[in-house]
Amino acid sequence: MNVNIDKEGTIVILTGAGISRESGLDTFRCKDGIWSKVNLEDVATPEAFMRDPDMVQGFYNARRAQLTNERPKPNPGHLALARLEKEWPGRVLIVTQNIDDLHEQASNENIIHMHGELLKIRCNHCDVLLQWEEELHTNTPCPKCNETGGLRPHVVWFGEVPLEMDTIYEALEDADLFMSIGTSGNVYPAAGFVQAVQQFGDCHTVELNLDPSNGATSFAETIYGPASEVVPAFVDKLLA
Ligand code: BV8
């Protein structure tokens, strides 16, 4: 790391599918990624849910079953961020695009799932938000309002507004260090955060990824390699 971050400084960390790859969860756009097997237009848009809800529910049931049956574990990349949150005197916030629960399993607390969470569902009829580890079907009655056809995965589909955007931009305004880990920089507004922090003020920006993302040239510093190796090494230097 080629700059000194004030130890009381605020660190905002954006994570993507790449940080969970070594825990056995597919990424989206890598060779054999999720979007090489299914079209996002068919499973991750509100239009798809209107058109063929069973197809959409099936897509998320399969990913939810992978989380609840295979119980993937956090890898050294996740664990290093947990150590950073515990030992860094200043504020540490994880803004993740991931809908898995590996940051929680690693015992991070300050986490925003800007694209939602796979182990939660909500009802379009009564807006209840529930923890959910089972399969979900169009005729599953809502445990609160008992209506059917309203329950959907608590995830942000393309064309929908990401979650907690105000809190995220407030943190980006306050950031002294912005780290981006395991994301290809294809999906907005997350892919625009590196430009946003530089408009807000003096913030050091670092990309930690297997290979250069679409936004690589926007970062002051770039470190390439598997998250399980480069993230612990970077955190060691930060806490040194
Ligand atoms: C919105 C949830 C308005 C569901 C997801 C501007 C320009 C162009 C388009 C747009 C734009 N603004 C908006 C859009 C439209 C759209 C968009 O960005 N489209 C793209 C495809 C062009 N955005 C939206 O619709 C968003 N909504 O904009 O609302 C708005 C905006 C601002 C404020 C208010 C309102 C909503 C987008 C959310 C969609 N939902 N997921 C689900 O998971 O099923 S997005 C989905 O892609 C995932 O959440 C994922 O996180 C995200 C990004 O993918 P990555 O995580 O980056 O994964 P990827 O496979 O691409 O890359 C993996 C990376 O890891 C690679 O770089 C690889 O090298 C690296 N890697 C691999 N292994 C490792 C590794 N790194 C380290 N170690 C390893 N071992």
Side-chain angles (χ1 to χ4, degrees):
M1 182 164 65
N2 48 24
V3 294
N4 277 324
I5 307 292
D6 157 11
K7 282 267 187 266
E8 295 302 326
T10 292
I11 302 177
V12 176
I13 306 161
L14 174 69
T15 65
I19 197 171
S20 296
R21 185 75 196 82
E22 296 163 272
S23 297
L25 296 178
D26 286 342
T27 62
F28 292 84
R29 293 171 186 78
C30 303
K31 193 178 63 48
D32 69 3
I34 291 175
W35 299 147
S36 70
K37 297 169 187 138
V38 61
N39 288 337
L40 73 85
E41 291 78 14
D42 297 338
V43 293
T45 64
E47 296 75 19
F49 191 58
M50 300 295 282
R51 196 172 48 241
D52 186 346
D54 294 337
M55 173 138 178
V56 173
Q57 300 282 20
F59 174 67
Y60 288 99
N61 285 342
R63 292 169 67 191
R64 192 178 301 110
Q66 184 186 21
L67 269 192
T68 52
N69 300 346
E70 295 169 21
R71 290 275 172 219
K73 292 284 164 277
N75 64 61
H78 298 100
L79 298 170
L81 297 182
R83 186 162 70 86
L84 182 61
E85 185 181 322
K86 278 188 190 54
E87 299 178 18
W88 181 259
R91 179 187 179 197
V92 173
L93 171 69
I94 291 180
V95 177
T96 187
Q97 300 170 84
N98 300 343
I99 61 176
D100 64 51
D101 65 340
L102 297 181
H103 286 305
E104 284 84 356
Q105 285 194 47
S107 78
N108 274 94
E109 283 159 13
N110 298 335
I111 305 165
I112 293 178
H113 284 271
M114 71 179 291
H115 292 165
E117 299 173 69
L118 194 46
L119 299 180
K120 289 183 179 170
I121 64 170
R122 65 177 191 264
C123 177
N124 285 341
H125 297 310
C126 71
D127 291 332
V128 70
L129 178 63
L130 301 165
Q131 283 293 118
W132 194 266
E133 298 211 353
E134 316 308 318
E135 292 223 336
L136 186 61
H137 299 284
T138 309
N139 59 9
T140 304
C142 170
K144 182 154 177 285
C145 71
N146 215 26
E147 293 279 337
T148 59
L151 293 176
R152 58 160 284 176
H154 181 57
V155 297
V156 177
W157 289 322
F158 289 90
E160 294 186 320
V161 179
L163 305 174
E164 302 188 56
M165 287 306 294
D166 299 348
T167 311
I168 292 171
Y169 279 120
E170 269 160 37
L172 292 173
E173 259 182 54
D174 189 29
D176 301 283
L177 173 61
F178 174 72
M179 296 164 62
S180 177
I181 304 171
T183 185
S184 63
N186 276 285
V187 175
Y188 287 79
F193 291 169
V194 61
Q195 283 88 12
V197 286
Q198 289 168 61
Q199 275 148 26
F200 288 137
D202 173 19
C203 175
H204 184 57
T205 56
V206 183
E207 168 169 273
L208 302 108
N209 218 45
L210 194 60
D211 41 41
S213 75
N214 285 10
T217 53
S218 303
F219 287 86
E221 187 175 354
T222 57
I223 300 169
Y224 296 115
S228 65
E229 292 167 21
V230 295
V231 177
F234 188 80
V235 167
D236 289 350
K237 275 192 276 186
L238 266 178
L239 292 174

